[in-house]
Amino acid sequence: MTPRELAKVYDPHEVEERWYRQWNDRGYFRPPDQDKAEHYSIVIPPPNVTGSLHVGHALNNSLQDILIRWRRMQGRDALWIPGMDHAGIATQNVVERQLAEEGLSREALGREAFVQRVWQWKEQSGGTILRQLRRLGASCDWERARFTMDEGLSKAVREVFVRLFDDGLLYRGERLINWCPRCLTALSDIEVEHEDTTGKLYTIRYPLAHDPSQHLLIATTRPETMLGDTAVAVHPDDDRYRHLIGKRVRLPLTTREIPIVGDPILVDREFGTGAVKITPAHDFNDFAAGERHDLPRIKIMDVHAALAPALLQAAGSDPDVVAAVEGLSAAKVRPKIEHWLKERGLLEKVEPHKMALGKCYRCKTVVEPLLSDQWFVKIQPLAEPAIRVVEEGRIRIIPEAWKNNYLGWMRDIKDWCVSRQIWWGHQIPAWYCEACYGTPFLRRASDGAPLIPSDARPIVRKTPPAACPKGHTGTLLQDPDVLDTWFSSALWPFSTLGWPDRTEDLKRFYPTSTLVTGLDILFFWVARMIMMGLKFMRDPEDPDNLDKAIPFKDVYIHALVRDAEGQKMSKSKGNVIDPLHVMEKYGTDSLRFTLASMSTPGRDIKLAEERIEGYRNFANKIWNAARFLLMNIERNHKSGGESARRTLPDMWVVSRLAKTAESVSDALETYRFDHACHLLYQFVWHEYCDWYLEMAKVSLQDPASAPGARQTLVESFEKLMRLLHPFMPFLTEELWQAIPHDGDSVMIAPFPNAELPSDITNTQALGAEQSMEALQRAISLLRTGRSLLNLPSSHNLDFYLDSVTGSERYSFRAGNLYLDALGKGKAHLAEKGTWPTRRMLILARQGMTIGIPVGEEIDLQKARERIEKQQAEETREKSRLETKLNNKEFMDKAPDEVKLDHLQRKAAIQQNLEILGSSLEQLKAMS
């Protein structure tokens, strides 16, 4: 293809939409029909159907797209499956708010009509984020897009539920769960956000039953839950209380007496008073303690987090208390409790107390632990193989530091509550027979849903049963609850590929290759996918082969994106960076490259808009390099033409590009996106543009070297566009299409490797790098000297090279043309220690010495002042670096690459100071 002209300025808006549409229309995002030997597949962490693109999504999906484009260019059979999560609570809340604006409610509509309304909303307004991912350049196979509520995935959900139940791994029982009093549903741990707040710590006197003049001091932040206490615990080795174990205390504000028990797990005898209350129905730690001591569970709150009079009466509460708290929430009851305790002389003290308050992630209501009948997955049998595959390295967690977090959580994992009391979601495939139970079930007042008794026996089926096992018909009621959103997403790696059917996609792409996700869902999603994959994807003919059952081979945990000060982004703080805004302002490639370049393992990203602007400048640098190339090659230039004689800079840049390509691939293999970006940036800006293009300008002026320079310019830039493409897809496609190339698109062109062109041997490449290194040192020293003497580039001068080895003499002869051109003067090889004049500024670095004549026109006083000022600045920076390097906390916490960077900068400053000191002494001697 012949080259075409480029506009003076890169306009990403026009480029991005055009190329994305063409890529998609041409089917480049789909894996080829033929089955290749090496597969590479990724399933997208499904964003919520209610979501819109935020900077965390931008990071997560940029990294996935880098991987999938890279593997696709490597010739892998690459598939990236997109999709969305139905987001039960979030979506239901969105539609309920719409109904409220219309003066309606979901109860007024009824369940069936409400669910239809949600589907309508989903088709009309849901999925915005998938459209925004296209804007980001995500090269997903959109024809395979899945939704956790579509028929195929619903089939998988029912299959898994029934098989877990049949295997004894799923049960219904009364346990303590997180409860949202506003959404009126159970919540998973991840759906509870903890907010730091300052509350009160109440220290209450619990009189001893056998001697009311004595008491135990109990501290609590929730005094209203005292009405549901069933015991007080002390440490069995605590000498203060050991003699009281087995005795009883009078529970304040009630008629009950409760036992004192010894519990070394619940009680820390060094903390607080050394005695704690146990309220099994309203605290998770207390629930576990209640099971250890076989304590009753006394529930005192209803589903609205209000103290229920009937429950309080049953718990033996003081009649005055029962009458005064009817219908009041726990927060409103608390001041009354404080008043009554104080009035009766039972309140020791009240003091401020910092604590984390759990709130519903959607409506921000304070979450209450609530005793409730729910469905649970018996998790321990599923966790054991999921622990083993990570311990054995069958699944790698990257960075490896998170491996211990995963293993620690899995070894202490609790049964998983999978039922939710909402309407939008997969309704639990369990039915109950009222006839078999003997009496009709009660109905919920709000919506008429059946209240399933704890002892009702479920009939679990994939499809609605026509009759119960005893033959009753017409008396079967389906469980009104739906499944936790995480239940369906736990099946994502195989349900999206067609399971439970044995589809070709399942055979071809499972296990998937890499999962890219954030740390916050390592336990709640990643761990559950591993457990479900190992349970349901084992080959019946080879059940012990866990490698075929794991859902993915690598789990890459990326950083969190924070603001420039390291603060969490939030709308209330006004520090949110909107990816759509910055893509509009700076271009998509600039955002992608910024996020990838800052993805250092184990470190949060402190993102400032200035960083994105900096990489916009990087994109412009590449654009201008392309314009230079196109201005200096013939219109009929063909890619892959006959070789022309290569100059030293030509062979050097080809060698450096080959090594950069190898290093970038190595970095991506280890998920060091930051290293890959650093390598690319350094090569493009500092080697290709700052050195090679400047030397190419010289080569192009010489008829003998111009053909080789033009060939190298085209070859190296075309290869560079392929190397950059996974990171900056739009810019590279536009430029690749503008220069001579072979093929239809850079995104399906081969990813560069370390091979050199056939006309350059490894020996020649090594020699070229050594020679160029000598040239660069000489030119850099000369530029330093010009700066010290304040000599403009227009000032041509003779300069001298001393202490030159034999190989360096060869390098200077081979590169003499470039040495003179970039040095803006005439280079001479001096005999050792022999200079043409005594007024010479001698500069030395790394065995290289140059001399610059100091003419009478040089103002020595001003030159000394400049050097002294630079010395002071360099000394201050060196001192700052030494302070950090001598700081034990910094050295213990800083990543190795940060410490190495500080050491290298300190060494470079030391070299500069040596040159400055030597130069200052020389100039003083000339005065």
Side-chain angles (χ1 to χ4, degrees), residues 399-653:
E400 192 174 5
W402 298 123
K403 176 179 174 181
N404 287 335
N405 293 57
Y406 168 90
L407 293 173
W409 187 79
M410 291 291 283
R411 288 171 182 145
D412 192 38
I413 198 168
K414 304 296 189 295
D415 285 358
W416 173 18
C417 175
V418 295
S419 46
R420 299 290 180 268
Q421 289 65 53
I422 57 176
W423 287 351
W424 174 242
H426 297 99
Q427 192 169 354
I428 289 176
W431 288 261
Y432 306 85
C433 179
E434 284 186 304
C436 289
Y437 188 69
T439 59
F441 298 153
L442 297 175
R443 296 296 195 272
R444 195 157 52 205
S446 59
D447 59 9
L451 296 173
I452 309 300
S454 301
D455 55 347
R457 295 177 62 85
I459 304 163
V460 176
R461 299 284 187 274
K462 285 182 270 187
T463 57
C468 76
K470 293 183 179 180
H472 297 127
T473 60
T475 58
L476 293 177
L477 296 174
Q478 187 172 0
D479 196 307
D481 291 352
V482 300
L483 285 165
D484 178 11
T485 296
W486 297 100
F487 190 92
S488 52
S489 58
L491 321 180
W492 191 247
F494 51 90
S495 64
T496 52
L497 293 169
W499 188 91
D501 298 330
R502 297 299 297 177
T503 64
E504 287 302 313
D505 275 358
L506 193 65
K507 296 175 186 175
R508 188 176 173 190
F509 294 110
Y510 190 92
T512 63
S513 306
T514 303
L515 181 78
V516 179
T517 188
L519 175 64
D520 53 343
I521 53 176
L522 173 62
F523 310 126
F524 304 104
W525 185 47
V526 178
R528 288 165 179 170
M529 284 190 288
I530 295 173
M531 288 187 279
M532 292 301 183
L534 292 171
K535 170 65 178 173
F536 294 101
M537 292 305 297
R538 296 198 196 192
D539 186 343
E541 298 179 0
D542 190 11
D544 294 329
N545 189 341
L546 299 183
D547 290 336
K548 289 183 179 180
I550 57 174
F552 26 70
K553 297 167 186 173
D554 289 343
V555 178
Y556 175 72
I557 307 293
H558 61 69
L560 296 177
V561 186
R562 300 183 179 274
D563 72 6
E565 305 302 320
Q567 300 296 312
K568 184 177 180 180
M569 292 187 187
S570 71
K571 291 180 181 178
S572 61
K573 293 179 182 177
N575 63 347
V576 171
I577 293 180
D578 181 355
L580 298 171
H581 167 74
V582 295
M583 285 192 287
E584 183 70 25
K585 189 173 181 180
Y586 301 112
T588 297
D589 290 326
S590 302
L591 174 64
R592 289 169 57 115
F593 201 89
T594 302
L595 293 170
S597 70
M598 299 180 75
S599 295
T600 302
R603 293 174 60 196
D604 287 346
I605 293 174
K606 296 180 180 180
L607 183 62
E609 199 168 307
E610 291 78 11
R611 293 294 295 266
I612 305 169
E613 183 179 13
Y615 286 115
R616 190 270 309 275
N617 297 338
F618 179 55
N620 289 338
K621 187 86 168 177
I622 298 168
W623 183 265
N624 290 329
R627 293 188 72 239
F628 170 80
L629 181 155
L630 292 171
M631 287 188 290
N632 287 281
I633 62 175
E634 293 89 347
R635 280 282 171 189
N636 60 354
H637 188 103
K638 302 292 184 183
S639 61
E642 291 194 16
S643 295
R645 183 178 67 83
R646 310 237 194 202
T647 63
L648 171 61
D650 293 334
M651 289 189 288
W652 170 77
V653 80

Side-chain angles (χ1 to χ4, degrees), residues 202-208 212 214-218 226 250-254 337-350:
Y202 303 81
T203 303
I204 304 169
R205 301 186 184 107
Y206 281 46
L208 298 178
Q214 302 294 316
H215 56 258
L216 290 179
L217 293 178
I218 308 294
M226 172 185 63
R250 293 179 180 178
L251 183 61
L253 306 184
T254 74
I337 298 287
E338 179 180 354
H339 169 75
W340 287 324
L341 290 172
K342 189 180 298 183
E343 189 178 59
R344 301 179 189 195
L346 295 174
L347 188 62
E348 179 78 11
K349 61 181 176 178
V350 180

Side-chain angles (χ1 to χ4, degrees), residues 143-169:
E143 293 180 5
R144 284 180 167 89
R146 305 306 298 269
F147 179 55
T148 48
M149 287 280 286
D150 69 28
E151 180 50 41
L153 272 68
S154 296
K155 180 180 178 181
V157 166
R158 293 190 296 271
E159 178 79 19
V160 166
F161 190 93
V162 171
R163 285 174 56 177
L164 287 174
F165 182 80
D166 290 345
D167 291 347
L169 296 175

Side-chain angles (χ1 to χ4, degrees), residues 20 55 244 307 313 338 387 441-442 455 474 478 598 718 723 770 788 790 805 818 849 868 927:
Y20 194 87
V55 73
L244 295 176
L307 271 71
Q313 285 176 341
E338 179 180 354
I387 291 171
F441 298 153
L442 297 175
D455 55 347
Q478 187 172 0
M598 299 180 75
E718 188 275 338
L723 188 59
Q770 292 172 340
L788 295 176
N790 199 29
T805 65
Y818 308 101
T849 305
E868 288 170 346
S927 301

Side-chain angles (χ1 to χ4, degrees), residues 791-852:
L791 293 173
S793 59
S794 59
H795 183 102
N796 284 311
L797 53 79
D798 290 325
F799 55 94
Y800 298 83
L801 301 161
D802 189 26
S803 302
V804 178
T805 65
S807 62
E808 287 174 338
R809 285 178 179 272
Y810 170 79
S811 300
F812 293 140
R813 283 194 293 271
N816 187 264
L817 187 66
Y818 308 101
L819 188 59
D820 290 352
L822 272 65
K824 304 295 182 182
K826 182 66 178 176
H828 304 275
L829 295 179
E831 295 300 326
K832 185 173 180 63
T834 303
W835 304 107
T837 174
R838 295 183 63 185
R839 282 176 62 97
M840 296 284 288
L841 178 62
I842 313 300
L843 304 177
R845 178 182 287 162
Q846 295 176 327
M848 175 73 64
T849 305
I850 70 164
I852 302 174

